[in-house]
Amino acid sequence: MNLRNGTTDSDNMTPQSQRVLECQNVSRDFKVGKKLFNKALDLKAVQNVSMNVNRGEVLAVVGESGCGKTTLTKMMLGLLPVTSGEILFEEEPISGIDIRSIAKKVQPVFQDPYSSLNPRKTLEAIISLPMKVHGIGTAEERRGRVLEIMRLVELPPRFLHSYPNQLSGGQRQRVAIARALIINPSILICDEPTSALDVSVQAHILNLLIDLRQELNLTYVLVSHDLAVVELLADKVAVMYLGRLIEYGPGQQIFNSPRHPYTKLLLESVLTPEPGKGLPEIALGKEFPNPLNPPSGCAFHPRCTEATEQCKITRPVLTVENGQSVECHLFSD
Ligand code: SF4
């Protein structure tokens, strides 16, 4: 892939007033498996997660399927309430903001452009829908804005009356990005934005996201299995395992000197030449544990090559050094 470098020089020096989104000790539980006479089980999908993203930054959230990424992004989009903790959007708790107002500022770009676009609507109708929903502009003004945003995402104006099935996968993802951008959101939540696309078009979409970020000073939360993409784009990286944030900090620092044994294994998986195939099992050994019955102590201990007896009994606490936090006994005092 021929890719531009998408990271910026932004770092922890960004003032607090530039903070766009912040999770403060966020948890989300689900009751599952309740049958007539059975007690429901508690699934702790996200546990005490704290992270933030400043204006113009890219925060990448990585981890295997089932680590809590999707639940976390649904809470960021206001689609799912938190069980405890708080999510702040521009320093205001989103629990106090109505869902329409959140949708004006926080827009999703989903993994699969094939299923996220209505096949019976033209591109004009699809891209202008958020303006219509929020009562923005006349029909003429909306068409003008659609054409403007199509130019921005490099879709030719002749596609205005086309339908999604007349477009390639890459073009459809451009439509999804155009729809997300049309009402000038502050932040895009991109959930595996390239993994459903052919390798040949992934680089085009990534370069588009990089260009749009620079042009519009956009902020991204990027959920991705593809650590090569994360390394390219992310200013900050949050590594999740079984609902917990186990390593978090500046992207370059985490890629250059990962501390948590799980992060180290994930980064080794970058070397596997199978984009979009998810994380390989080889280095991680045993299967991902059952989230309904998580291991005692450090939840990673059954798969960790550095585990000690203490790891089986006591859960480590998050410790911070040089802006890089890690939840592992190897780094506790
Ligand atoms: Fe491995 Fe122990 Fe660190 Fe968990 S706490 S990652 S088991 S060394």
Side-chain angles (χ1 to χ4, degrees):
M1 285 198 273
N2 188 10
L3 293 167
R4 295 189 258 288
N5 190 323
T7 56
T8 69
D9 292 330
S10 66
D11 54 27
N12 294 339
M13 301 299 285
T14 310
Q16 175 94 8
S17 60
Q18 292 292 299
R19 194 148 288 173
V20 181
L21 197 71
E22 180 166 12
C23 297
Q24 293 180 340
N25 274 320
V26 168
S27 297
R28 173 69 208 197
D29 302 342
F30 294 100
K31 296 273 182 215
V32 296
K34 185 166 172 46
K35 296 204 179 117
L36 204 49
F37 299 109
N38 289 343
K39 204 166 164 271
L41 295 170
D42 264 333
L43 172 65
K44 295 189 180 303
V46 172
Q47 296 179 60
N48 298 317
V49 166
S50 296
M51 59 178 77
N52 61 64
V53 59
N54 298 319
R55 196 165 309 284
E57 279 185 342
V58 177
L59 165 68
V61 183
V62 304
E64 291 163 283
S65 297
C67 73
K69 304 184 302 260
T70 304
T71 304
L72 186 66
T73 52
K74 280 185 180 166
M75 291 191 285
M76 288 174 173
L77 285 161
L79 301 175
L80 202 59
V82 301
T83 302
S84 62
E86 194 73 83
I87 297 181
L88 306 177
F89 176 73
E90 291 176 344
E91 297 176 41
E92 195 182 338
I94 65 168
S95 53
I97 310 174
D98 72 276
I99 186 82
R100 279 167 62 94
S101 303
I102 297 171
K104 259 187 175 173
K105 297 286 189 180
V106 188
Q107 279 284 313
V109 174
F110 295 112
Q111 175 176 6
D112 185 1
Y114 298 87
S115 62
S116 67
L117 305 179
N118 187 335
R120 290 187 291 279
K121 299 283 185 189
T122 64
L123 262 56
E124 181 178 11
I126 291 169
I127 296 172
S128 65
L129 185 66
M131 288 184 81
K132 225 171 161 182
V133 167
H134 292 286
I136 301 169
T138 62
E140 200 180 324
E141 286 165 343
R142 287 199 289 268
R143 174 168 294 184
R145 176 70 178 146
V146 169
L147 287 167
E148 186 186 339
I149 213 85
M150 283 175 71
R151 181 190 53 76
L152 209 59
V153 300
E154 296 161 16
L155 281 169
R158 64 187 156 80
F159 284 171
L160 193 65
H161 303 297
S162 301
Y163 291 86
N165 65 4
Q166 295 172 292
L167 308 181
S168 68
Q171 287 166 337
R172 288 183 218 201
Q173 196 57 305
R174 287 173 194 272
V175 174
I177 293 168
R179 179 180 57 186
L181 290 176
I182 195 138
I183 50 174
N184 286 326
S186 300
I187 184 163
L188 290 191
I189 310 273
C190 302
D191 186 358
E192 304 277 6
T194 58
S195 63
L197 304 174
D198 285 348
V199 176
S200 58
V201 296
Q202 287 181 359
H204 296 299
I205 295 298
L206 288 171
N207 283 332
L208 175 66
L209 289 172
I210 291 167
D211 291 345
L212 289 172
R213 175 194 183 186
Q214 279 158 3
E215 202 163 325
L216 306 175
N217 195 25
L218 277 173
T219 306
Y220 296 136
V221 173
L222 171 72
V223 174
S224 184
H225 275 104
D226 190 335
L227 294 173
V229 169
V230 170
E231 184 171 19
L232 182 81
L233 288 176
D235 298 299
K236 284 179 186 161
V237 175
V239 185
M240 292 188 65
Y241 188 79
L242 265 184
R244 300 187 69 81
L245 183 66
I246 50 109
E247 186 152 15
Y248 173 59
Q252 284 184 1
Q253 214 168 299
I254 288 193
F255 275 91
N256 291 339
S257 50
R259 300 168 83 199
H260 198 284
Y262 178 65
T263 312
K264 288 180 189 167
L265 290 171
L266 282 186
L267 295 187
E268 283 169 18
S269 75
V270 175
L271 301 173
T272 58
E274 284 195 279
K277 290 281 185 193
L279 303 173
E281 292 292 333
I282 37 164
L284 288 166
K286 292 180 186 167
E287 284 178 10
F288 195 72
N290 179 359
L292 285 168
N293 186 21
S296 59
C298 171
F300 186 56
H301 85 254
R303 305 166 91 187
C304 182
T305 52
E306 301 181 58
T308 63
E309 281 307 307
Q310 183 195 15
C311 302
K312 297 177 188 170
I313 302 161
T314 321
R315 178 187 289 160
V317 293
L318 206 63
T319 52
V320 188
E321 197 182 308
N322 295 331
Q324 189 172 344
S325 43
V326 62
E327 192 180 83
C328 171
H329 287 306
L330 297 176
F331 301 95
S332 46
D333 296 329

Coordinates of all heavy atoms in Angstrom, one line a residue, residues 107 113-114 116-133 146 149 159-160 162-165 167 172 174-180 182:
Q107 N -20.2 11.4 14.5 CA -20.7 10.6 13.4 C -19.9 9.3 13.2 O -18.7 9.4 13.3 CB -20.7 11.5 12.1 CG -21.8 12.5 12.0 CD -23.1 11.8 11.6 OE1 -23.2 11.0 10.7 NE2 -24.2 12.2 12.3
P113 N -19.4 -0.8 3.9 CA -20.2 0.2 3.2 C -21.3 -0.5 2.4 O -22.2 0.2 1.9 CB -19.2 0.8 2.2 CG -18.1 -0.2 2.1 CD -18.1 -1.0 3.4
Y114 N -21.3 -1.8 2.2 CA -22.3 -2.5 1.5 C -23.6 -2.5 2.2 O -24.7 -2.3 1.7 CB -21.9 -4.0 1.2 CG -20.7 -4.0 0.3 CD1 -19.4 -4.0 0.9 CD2 -20.8 -4.1 -1.1 CE1 -18.3 -4.0 0.1 CE2 -19.6 -4.1 -1.8 CZ -18.4 -4.0 -1.2 OH -17.2 -4.0 -2.0
S116 N -24.3 -0.5 5.0 CA -24.6 0.7 5.8 C -25.3 1.7 4.9 O -25.7 2.8 5.3 CB -23.4 1.3 6.4 OG -22.5 1.8 5.4
L117 N -25.4 1.4 3.6 CA -26.1 2.4 2.7 C -27.4 1.8 2.2 O -27.5 0.6 1.8 CB -25.2 2.7 1.4 CG -23.8 3.2 1.8 CD1 -23.0 3.5 0.5 CD2 -23.8 4.5 2.6
N118 N -28.5 2.6 2.1 CA -29.8 2.1 1.7 C -29.7 1.9 0.2 O -29.6 2.9 -0.6 CB -30.8 3.2 2.0 CG -32.2 2.7 1.7 OD1 -32.4 1.8 0.9 ND2 -33.2 3.3 2.4
P119 N -29.9 0.7 -0.3 CA -29.8 0.4 -1.8 C -30.9 1.1 -2.6 O -30.7 1.2 -3.8 CB -29.9 -1.1 -1.8 CG -30.6 -1.5 -0.6 CD -30.3 -0.5 0.4
R120 N -32.0 1.5 -2.0 CA -33.1 2.1 -2.8 C -33.0 3.6 -2.9 O -33.8 4.2 -3.4 CB -34.4 1.7 -2.2 CG -34.7 0.2 -2.4 CD -36.1 -0.2 -1.9 NE -36.2 -0.1 -0.4 CZ -35.8 -1.0 0.4 NH1 -35.3 -2.2 -0.1 NH2 -35.9 -0.9 1.7
K121 N -32.0 4.2 -2.3 CA -31.8 5.7 -2.3 C -30.7 6.1 -3.2 O -29.6 5.4 -3.3 CB -31.5 6.2 -0.9 CG -32.6 5.9 0.1 CD -33.8 6.8 -0.1 CE -34.9 6.6 1.0 NZ -36.1 7.3 0.8
T122 N -30.8 7.2 -3.8 CA -29.7 7.8 -4.6 C -28.6 8.3 -3.7 O -28.9 8.6 -2.5 CB -30.2 8.9 -5.5 OG1 -30.6 10.0 -4.7 CG2 -31.3 8.5 -6.5
L123 N -27.4 8.6 -4.3 CA -26.4 9.2 -3.5 C -26.8 10.5 -2.9 O -26.5 10.8 -1.7 CB -25.1 9.3 -4.3 CG -24.1 8.2 -4.2 CD1 -24.6 6.9 -4.5 CD2 -22.9 8.5 -5.0
E124 N -27.5 11.3 -3.7 CA -28.0 12.6 -3.2 C -28.8 12.4 -1.9 O -28.6 13.1 -0.9 CB -28.8 13.3 -4.2 CG -29.2 14.7 -3.7 CD -29.9 15.5 -4.7 OE1 -30.3 15.0 -5.8 OE2 -30.2 16.7 -4.5
A125 N -29.8 11.5 -1.9 CA -30.6 11.2 -0.8 C -29.9 10.7 0.4 O -30.1 11.1 1.6 CB -31.8 10.3 -1.2
I126 N -28.9 9.8 0.1 CA -28.1 9.2 1.2 C -27.2 10.2 1.9 O -27.2 10.3 3.1 CB -27.3 8.0 0.7 CG1 -28.2 6.8 0.3 CG2 -26.2 7.5 1.7 CD1 -27.4 5.7 -0.5
I127 N -26.5 10.9 1.1 CA -25.5 11.9 1.7 C -26.2 13.0 2.4 O -25.8 13.5 3.4 CB -24.5 12.4 0.6 CG1 -23.7 11.2 0.0 CG2 -23.6 13.4 1.2 CD1 -22.9 11.5 -1.2
S128 N -27.4 13.5 1.8 CA -28.1 14.7 2.4 C -28.9 14.3 3.6 O -29.4 15.2 4.3 CB -28.9 15.4 1.4 OG -30.0 14.5 1.0
L129 N -29.1 13.0 3.9 CA -30.0 12.6 4.9 C -29.8 13.2 6.3 O -30.7 13.8 6.9 CB -30.0 11.0 5.1 CG -31.1 10.5 6.1 CD1 -32.5 10.8 5.6 CD2 -30.9 9.0 6.3
P130 N -28.5 13.3 6.8 CA -28.3 14.0 8.1 C -28.8 15.4 8.1 O -29.3 15.9 9.1 CB -26.8 13.8 8.3 CG -26.4 12.7 7.5 CD -27.3 12.7 6.3
M131 N -28.6 16.1 7.0 CA -29.1 17.5 6.9 C -30.6 17.6 7.0 O -31.2 18.4 7.7 CB -28.7 18.2 5.6 CG -27.2 18.5 5.5 SD -26.8 19.3 3.9 CE -27.2 21.0 4.3
K132 N -31.2 16.6 6.3 CA -32.7 16.6 6.4 C -33.2 16.3 7.8 O -34.1 16.9 8.3 CB -33.2 15.5 5.4 CG -34.3 15.9 4.5 CD -34.6 14.8 3.5 CE -36.0 15.0 2.9 NZ -36.3 14.0 1.9
V133 N -32.6 15.3 8.4 CA -33.0 14.8 9.7 C -32.9 16.0 10.7 O -33.7 16.2 11.6 CB -32.1 13.6 10.2 CG1 -32.3 13.4 11.7 CG2 -32.5 12.4 9.4
V146 N -24.2 18.7 -0.8 CA -23.9 17.3 -1.2 C -22.8 17.4 -2.3 O -21.8 16.6 -2.2 CB -25.1 16.6 -1.7 CG1 -24.7 15.3 -2.4 CG2 -26.1 16.3 -0.6
I149 N -19.4 18.3 -0.8 CA -18.8 17.2 0.0 C -18.4 16.0 -0.9 O -17.4 15.4 -0.6 CB -19.8 16.8 1.2 CG1 -19.0 16.3 2.4 CG2 -20.7 15.7 0.8 CD1 -18.6 17.4 3.3
F159 N -22.3 11.1 -10.2 CA -22.8 10.1 -9.4 C -24.0 10.5 -8.5 O -24.6 9.7 -7.8 CB -21.8 9.5 -8.4 CG -20.7 8.6 -9.1 CD1 -19.6 8.2 -8.4 CD2 -20.9 8.1 -10.4 CE1 -18.7 7.4 -8.9 CE2 -20.0 7.3 -11.0 CZ -18.8 6.9 -10.3
L160 N -24.4 11.8 -8.6 CA -25.4 12.3 -7.7 C -26.7 11.5 -7.7 O -27.3 11.3 -6.7 CB -25.7 13.8 -8.2 CG -26.5 14.6 -7.2 CD1 -25.8 14.9 -5.9 CD2 -26.9 16.0 -7.9
S162 N -26.9 8.3 -8.8 CA -26.6 6.9 -8.9 C -27.0 6.2 -7.6 O -27.3 6.8 -6.6 CB -25.1 6.6 -9.0 OG -24.6 7.3 -10.2
Y163 N -27.1 4.9 -7.7 CA -27.5 4.0 -6.5 C -26.2 3.3 -6.0 O -25.3 3.0 -6.8 CB -28.6 3.1 -6.9 CG -29.9 3.7 -7.1 CD1 -30.2 4.3 -8.4 CD2 -30.8 3.9 -6.1 CE1 -31.4 4.9 -8.6 CE2 -32.0 4.6 -6.3 CZ -32.3 5.1 -7.6 OH -33.5 5.8 -7.8
P164 N -26.2 2.9 -4.7 CA -25.0 2.2 -4.2 C -24.6 1.0 -5.0 O -23.4 0.8 -5.1 CB -25.5 1.8 -2.8 CG -26.5 2.8 -2.4 CD -27.2 3.2 -3.6
N165 N -25.5 0.2 -5.5 CA -25.1 -1.0 -6.3 C -24.4 -0.6 -7.6 O -23.9 -1.5 -8.3 CB -26.2 -1.9 -6.5 CG -27.3 -1.4 -7.4 OD1 -27.2 -0.3 -7.9 ND2 -28.4 -2.1 -7.5
L167 N -21.9 1.4 -7.6 CA -20.5 1.9 -7.3 C -19.6 0.7 -6.8 O -20.1 -0.3 -6.4 CB -20.6 2.9 -6.1 CG -21.6 4.0 -6.2 CD1 -21.5 4.9 -5.0 CD2 -21.2 4.9 -7.5
R172 N -18.3 3.3 -2.4 CA -19.4 3.3 -1.4 C -18.8 3.8 0.0 O -19.5 4.5 0.7 CB -19.9 1.9 -1.2 CG -20.7 1.4 -2.4 CD -21.2 0.0 -2.1 NE -21.2 -0.8 -3.3 CZ -22.0 -1.9 -3.5 NH1 -22.8 -2.3 -2.5 NH2 -21.9 -2.5 -4.6
R174 N -16.6 6.0 0.3 CA -16.5 7.4 0.2 C -17.8 8.1 0.4 O -18.0 9.1 1.0 CB -16.0 7.8 -1.2 CG -14.5 7.6 -1.4 CD -14.1 7.8 -2.9 NE -12.7 7.2 -3.1 CZ -11.6 7.8 -2.9 NH1 -11.6 9.1 -2.5 NH2 -10.5 7.2 -3.0
V175 N -18.9 7.4 0.0 CA -20.3 7.9 0.2 C -20.6 7.9 1.7 O -21.1 8.9 2.3 CB -21.3 7.0 -0.5 CG1 -22.7 7.4 -0.2 CG2 -21.1 7.1 -2.0
A176 N -20.2 6.8 2.4 CA -20.4 6.7 3.8 C -19.6 7.8 4.6 O -20.2 8.5 5.5 CB -20.0 5.4 4.4
I177 N -18.4 8.1 4.1 CA -17.6 9.2 4.7 C -18.3 10.6 4.4 O -18.4 11.4 5.3 CB -16.2 9.2 4.2 CG1 -15.5 7.9 4.8 CG2 -15.4 10.4 4.7 CD1 -14.2 7.5 4.1
A178 N -18.8 10.7 3.2 CA -19.4 12.0 2.8 C -20.7 12.2 3.7 O -20.9 13.3 4.2 CB -19.8 12.0 1.3
R179 N -21.4 11.2 3.9 CA -22.7 11.3 4.7 C -22.3 11.7 6.2 O -23.0 12.5 6.8 CB -23.4 9.9 4.7 CG -24.7 9.9 5.6 CD -25.4 8.6 5.5 NE -24.5 7.5 6.0 CZ -24.8 6.2 5.9 NH1 -26.0 5.9 5.5 NH2 -24.0 5.3 6.3
A180 N -21.2 11.1 6.6 CA -20.8 11.4 8.0 C -20.3 12.8 8.2 O -20.4 13.5 9.2 CB -19.6 10.4 8.5
I182 N -21.2 15.5 6.3 CA -22.1 16.6 5.7 C -22.5 17.7 6.7 O -22.8 18.8 6.3 CB -23.2 16.0 4.9 CG1 -23.8 17.1 4.0 CG2 -24.3 15.4 5.8 CD1 -24.2 16.7 2.6

